[in-house]
Amino acid sequence: MAYVDMKWPRASAKHRKGIAETLATVTPALLATDWGVPSDKALRAALYGWVFNKARRDAGEPPADLAPAVHWLKANTVDLAALANAALVRKALDTLALRMDGAPACSRHRLG
């Protein structure tokens, strides 16, 4: 959230959306546990719709439909210091390499 808050004032709406989409995609790879994890749909809605939207966060507490997932995320997302672990970073990068449907995010093109 600190990254979103730092970028928000000077980012265009399209850039803000891209930041939120990227962070909402990678955050599930950075969970400390999967015990009690909300559904993928609930996590994405909470992350994209409130956690990584500074304007909505500044407006107050998360809406009732997002609050359980937001509270679960606050309690179960790894500290940034955990990114010193190469295996966790690899997991995050592998997550970003895939689209939501599991297909590769981009195809490699051979240079002629």
Side-chain angles (χ1 to χ4, degrees):
M1 290 188 305
Y3 177 79
V4 170
D5 293 352
M6 183 243 336
K7 297 298 266 182
W8 197 267
R10 289 171 292 289
S12 68
K14 186 174 180 177
H15 188 69
R16 290 174 181 168
K17 181 179 178 181
I19 291 169
E21 287 174 349
T22 300
L23 292 174
T25 298
V26 75
T27 298
L30 303 173
L31 300 177
T33 182
D34 60 2
W35 186 82
V37 65
S39 70
D40 290 345
K41 183 178 178 180
L43 281 180
R44 185 151 183 86
L47 290 165
Y48 185 75
W50 193 82
V51 173
F52 298 131
N53 185 312
K54 183 175 178 349
R56 290 183 185 156
R57 276 188 289 110
D58 287 350
E61 292 296 313
D65 62 321
L66 301 180
V70 169
H71 293 297
W72 189 92
L73 284 160
K74 285 182 180 181
N76 295 288
T77 304
V78 299
D79 292 328
L80 288 180
L83 293 176
N85 178 324
L88 182 60
V89 172
R90 173 54 45 206
K91 181 180 176 185
L93 292 172
D94 288 346
T95 299
L96 290 173
L98 298 175
R99 295 187 323 204
M100 296 288 292
D101 64 4
C106 68
S107 61
R108 300 225 182 244
H109 299 282
R110 295 181 76 178
L111 296 175

